[in-house]
Amino acid sequence: MQQTKQLPHYYAKPTWENNIGYLVDSRGNRLPGITSILETTKPKTEKQRLINWQKKVGKTQANQISQTARKRGILIHKQIQNYLQNKPISCPPTIETYWDKILPFLENIHEIKLLEGHVFHYYEGYSGRVDCVASFYNIPCVIEFQSANRIKPLADEPLQLAAYCGAINRQYGLRLNNALLIVTTPQETNATWFEPDEVMKYWHQWQQRVADFWQLQGVA
């Protein structure tokens, strides 16, 4: 796979406070993570839905399901990273069905500029770790990889991708206007493409969520 000029990686140290994840940059600046902002500002109905599910399956089972999904996600992300970097691949049996479904999509990703890179948007006040900046069918975009037991309706994923676009453009002086969400399951892989007007729509929604977050923290 042909490699293009890579974007530089930025140092970031993860830290937690009051159940909120932050990234600390090389100068000691600390900014909340995208995922924590989205979790903190979820509508009450969505938060209640999660609470109801935890009650239904039990706290122990809910934690086990979450941990299994987290471990699976780490394995799949590492596998994808190795593939896109032309490194040797040895697929663990636990993710073979997921890998078989996502591989055809990965074959159309080229001109990789950044993998697992930390981003900071100091003006808006957030940070994150982007999966991939590359071209999909020759169109530059931000790419998010996810795994699940089944394909679900979109929730906050579009806002997450818009947040990555905004931070990457600010940090690297780029003009990325497209985004791609690839979700793989044991049965299928689904790719959702976001055009520039959609990304901009979700960017404005994301800005509001960031403002809501800082208001909840007591920062006007």
Side-chain angles (χ1 to χ4, degrees):
M1 185 177 297
Q2 184 180 3
Q3 296 289 327
T4 58
K5 185 178 180 181
Q6 300 286 294
L7 295 170
H9 277 259
Y10 283 74
Y11 169 86
K13 179 183 178 182
T15 182
W16 287 83
E17 184 178 324
N18 298 326
N19 293 319
I20 296 173
Y22 296 85
L23 288 179
V24 182
D25 69 8
S26 58
R27 295 171 294 178
N29 297 310
R30 188 183 74 164
L31 291 177
I34 293 170
T35 303
S36 285
I37 291 174
L38 290 172
E39 288 296 325
T40 304
T41 59
K42 272 187 185 298
K44 290 182 179 179
T45 52
E46 291 187 35
K47 290 182 179 180
Q48 189 60 48
R49 193 177 297 119
L50 176 61
I51 292 171
N52 292 342
W53 172 75
Q54 290 172 335
K55 287 181 179 179
K56 181 179 178 181
V57 301
K59 188 175 181 179
T60 302
Q61 181 69 5
N63 288 337
Q64 187 175 4
I65 292 171
S66 298
Q67 288 177 7
T68 300
R70 194 176 300 113
K71 290 177 181 177
R72 180 189 67 213
I74 292 171
L75 285 174
I76 292 174
H77 272 75
K78 188 61 180 176
Q79 187 82 348
I80 291 170
Q81 187 176 3
N82 287 340
Y83 174 84
L84 294 177
Q85 291 179 326
N86 289 326
K87 292 182 178 179
I89 292 175
S90 178
C91 188
T94 53
I95 63 168
E96 277 183 354
T97 53
Y98 296 87
W99 181 248
D100 290 342
K101 298 297 186 299
I102 199 173
L103 186 55
F105 291 82
L106 301 181
E107 292 170 350
N108 294 304
I109 296 175
H110 303 284
E111 299 178 11
I112 299 143
K113 295 182 179 297
L114 185 67
L115 287 171
E116 301 295 336
H118 297 115
V119 290
F120 292 89
H121 200 306
Y122 298 102
Y123 182 78
E124 294 291 340
Y126 68 90
S127 63
R129 183 182 173 97
V130 64
D131 287 349
C132 182
V133 177
S135 291
F136 187 68
Y137 285 103
N138 298 319
I139 301 177
C141 61
V142 175
I143 305 173
E144 168 79 3
F145 302 108
Q146 292 186 1
S147 62
N149 291 322
R150 58 183 176 84
I151 301 297
K152 302 174 185 177
L154 293 176
D156 284 334
E157 294 88 354
L159 277 68
Q160 183 180 9
L161 281 161
Y164 286 138
C165 280
I168 288 165
N169 289 339
R170 186 91 176 185
Q171 183 165 287
Y172 294 104
L174 301 179
R175 291 184 179 180
L176 289 174
N177 301 309
N178 295 91
L180 175 66
L181 173 66
I182 299 180
V183 182
T184 183
T185 75
Q187 297 79 33
E188 61 180 320
T189 290
N190 184 65
T192 305
W193 180 257
F194 297 92
E195 292 288 349
D197 58 338
E198 295 176 286
V199 174
M200 184 56 66
K201 178 185 73 173
Y202 289 118
W203 167 250
H204 292 315
Q205 293 180 23
W206 165 248
Q207 286 181 303
Q208 184 58 55
R209 294 284 283 270
V210 176
D212 292 344
F213 172 84
W214 285 113
Q215 188 173 23
L216 288 170
Q217 306 308 308
V219 179

